[in-house]
Amino acid sequence: MRSVFAFPCLLLVLSATGMLHAQQEQVIYDEADVPKFTLPDPLVAADGTKIESAQAWNEIRRPELMGLFEKEVYGKSPAAPEKIAFEVTESSDDALGGKARRRQVAIRLTDDPEGPVLNLLVYLPKTDQPVPTFMTLNFFGNASIQDDPAIQLPQSWLRNSTDKGVDNHKATEKLRGASSSRWPVEMIVENGYGLATAYYGDIDPDFDDKFQNGIHPYFYEEGQTEPKPDQWGSIAAWAWGMSRALDYMQQDNEIDGSKVIVMGHSRLGKTALWAGASDPRFAAVISNNSGCGGAALSRRRFGESVKRINTSFPHWFCDNFTKYNHNEDACPVDQHELIALIAPRPCLVCSAVEDRWADPHGEFLSAHFASPVYELLGVEGLAADEMPKVDEPVLSRLGYVIRPGKHDVLKSDWERYMQFADAHLLGKGN
Ligand code: GTR
């Protein structure tokens, strides 16, 4: 009897250890385990032509790289709608205890009256001049960023969270201000910047339902039920939604539409980079702890790998990206080329010491290897050849900073973002 039971038990133990081992093997947390790799050269076209002028970059290599990122990584998004319908649903010139103006705007993402609506919340300093403005998506709805009873509670599907006051995927009053530590609105406004934000789930709810809800179905061809392998996943959809917010912002006289800085954290940091790469109207880009599929080099496989991200979040990228699971070297692009697509505009890559899952060193290297493109375009690249020390920000036009602490957005991070924007968009001293 004993042996009959002992055998399957042993098998179970062995396969459990095997699985654990396989899982442990997948996550690289030691530089010594990073495989050797060769990066594609952003300044060599697919046919081997060396890219030696700004013109060749703009006419040959940039479109080629855009096409490759669309086809192999994020998926191609639809063109911008011809016109954008919006309605200012709420407005106050006496927000934040009289320090700011507040606007809430419903932006219709399609011409279907039942289609998704992006609810944009805007805080602006009280000035007669159009202001430079940060555009950032949020994770839990606009009401989560600030305890302000005038902000409409989100109506879309939300990820359940007792802490944030989300019950049965719906917002409760407890949501108000639940994420405010990440959103120092008063400080931003006091420094002369506007802040525009919208809930990413208004564009596409962040779960894998094979693209039945959210924006995707509105663009299906006759008979189509999900995006093709080279069509937009959720990150591309969120980025596309940011561009629709920018459509609105560019025709709002209170906002300086030529100085909108797209910023995002984590999966929304990946989104900010792709939004900045695909929409040159964004004047500057800030990626916070964006990691795999964001600023980190995929070929390093440090922390989160392509296989892990495609398995945990099958809806984020296009289906073609799964070809590179455990096969990163075969991908015709790597993430330094995503940053290169932002050139010559200012771009700041931000890491955190304890955020090893996002591979801080890989994030630095992406900026480093994007630098030659900035230089070819006649502007300053990353002013550091080596990974800078913690809390020693390199705020060159292509910048990099690593701070102590965890995967998060802190008030001190926003101080850096504004210092960076002051220097590179407003021409104020660094
Ligand atoms: C993690 C994911 C990361 C990052 C993060 C986030 O679970 O593995 O790629 O995007 O979520 O967005 O919070």
Side-chain angles (χ1 to χ4, degrees), residues 135-260:
M135 168 64 210
T136 308
L137 293 177
N138 63 66
F139 285 92
F140 282 98
N142 298 342
S144 69
I145 77 148
Q146 175 77 15
D147 188 3
D148 178 342
I151 307 177
Q152 294 137 10
L153 284 179
Q155 302 300 313
S156 323
W157 177 97
L158 293 155
R159 190 174 341 136
N160 279 337
S161 162
T162 322
D163 279 3
K164 306 281 181 198
V166 182
D167 190 20
N168 207 10
H169 302 295
K170 294 219 160 24
T172 68
E173 282 296 316
K174 195 184 160 198
L175 181 91
R176 296 194 179 283
S179 302
S180 58
S181 68
R182 288 186 174 179
W183 302 88
V185 185
E186 279 195 33
M187 181 180 84
I188 295 169
V189 169
E190 273 163 13
N191 279 274
Y193 288 92
L195 173 70
T197 186
Y199 171 50
Y200 77 143
D202 281 357
I203 309 160
D204 185 28
D206 189 4
F207 63 92
D208 179 27
D209 72 335
K210 305 276 179 273
F211 302 105
Q212 297 316 296
N213 60 21
I215 190 72
H216 296 88
Y218 292 87
F219 291 88
Y220 290 158
E221 292 162 10
E222 187 76 30
Q224 188 177 3
T225 55
E226 60 182 291
K228 295 177 189 161
D230 63 349
Q231 288 182 326
W232 57 344
S234 293
I235 290 177
W238 299 326
W240 182 90
M242 293 190 105
S243 286
R244 303 296 67 83
L246 183 58
D247 293 343
Y248 164 76
M249 291 164 80
Q250 289 209 318
Q251 55 76 66
D252 179 334
N253 295 333
E254 296 179 315
I255 295 171
D256 184 345
S258 70
K259 293 196 172 66
V260 175

Side-chain angles (χ1 to χ4, degrees), residues 139 265-268 270 290 292 304 309 313 316 357 407:
F139 285 92
H265 168 63
S266 203
R267 69 198 70 183
L268 296 176
K270 311 179 206 298
S290 60
C292 179
E304 187 169 34
I309 205 164
F313 307 102
W316 284 3
W357 185 239
H407 186 74

Side-chain angles (χ1 to χ4, degrees), residues 276-352:
S278 45
D279 191 339
R281 297 174 305 163
F282 285 113
V285 182
I286 299 178
S287 136
N288 195 70
N289 305 177
S290 60
C292 179
L297 290 177
S298 300
R299 278 165 173 74
R300 279 171 50 81
R301 296 165 218 178
F302 190 103
E304 187 169 34
S305 67
V306 171
K307 159 91 176 164
R308 280 296 279 262
I309 205 164
N310 280 330
T311 308
S312 314
F313 307 102
H315 56 297
W316 284 3
F317 300 87
C318 70
D319 271 2
N320 274 343
F321 196 44
T322 59
K323 292 191 290 187
Y324 308 111
N325 290 351
H326 287 322
N327 189 26
E328 292 85 348
D329 295 304
C331 188
V333 290
D334 210 321
Q335 299 305 108
H336 60 306
E337 293 170 310
L338 176 64
I339 293 173
L341 287 171
I342 294 163
R345 290 165 291 154
C347 176
L348 179 64
V349 174
C350 307
S351 307

Side-chain angles (χ1 to χ4, degrees), residues 14-62:
L14 278 178
S15 63
T17 356
M19 274 166 58
L20 199 70
H21 200 65
Q23 269 181 10
Q24 280 168 350
E25 268 175 8
Q26 278 169 21
V27 183
I28 296 176
Y29 275 135
D30 189 337
E31 280 298 325
D33 295 332
V34 171
K36 287 212 162 17
F37 60 86
T38 307
L39 287 176
D41 188 335
L43 292 177
V44 176
D47 68 359
T49 309
K50 281 213 161 77
I51 303 298
E52 290 171 324
S53 67
Q55 189 184 2
W57 168 259
N58 287 322
E59 288 174 9
I60 303 170
R61 186 58 170 157
R62 191 179 189 283

